[in-house]
Amino acid sequence: MVETRAGTRYRVMKPARIEHRGERVNCMIRDLSLTGASLEVTDPARIPANFTLVVPEDGLKLSCRIVRRTVFRIGVAFD
């Protein structure tokens, strides 16, 4: 398989939070790059197409959009 992503992904295991219109959903960042991430969530269908990803450990708030959904993960691009 040929890698077509714009940025190199690094495997991580960082706790994070998805925030949208006052709702908060805990998640785990499983891989990360400068352009996006793979997030492990319990119910991907419940996550809106656009949201803010908060990474308390790093003091980050990143605007995201979903580019891929699987059973327990979503792939996001940073806006």
Side-chain angles (χ1 to χ4, degrees), residues 16-27 41-42 46-48 51-52 54 56 61:
R17 187 172 60 243
I18 293 167
E19 294 185 354
H20 180 72
R21 295 187 180 178
E23 286 192 47
R24 295 177 175 191
V25 177
N26 291 327
C27 65
V41 295
T42 56
R46 171 175 168 215
I47 308 300
F51 58 86
T52 300
V54 179
K61 287 188 176 188

Side-chain angles (χ1 to χ4, degrees), residues 12-68:
V12 296
M13 195 159 179
K14 284 183 177 266
R17 187 172 60 243
I18 293 167
E19 294 185 354
H20 180 72
R21 295 187 180 178
E23 286 192 47
R24 295 177 175 191
V25 177
N26 291 327
C27 65
M28 186 67 66
I29 302 173
R30 298 308 304 240
D31 68 48
L32 184 64
S33 76
L34 292 175
T35 59
S38 176
L39 309 177
E40 189 174 291
V41 295
T42 56
D43 186 6
R46 171 175 168 215
I47 308 300
N50 297 285
F51 58 86
T52 300
L53 180 66
V54 179
V55 188
E57 182 179 310
D58 298 332
L60 295 174
K61 287 188 176 188
L62 305 163
S63 179
C64 299
R65 62 184 158 80
I66 294 179
V67 295
R68 168 177 44 83

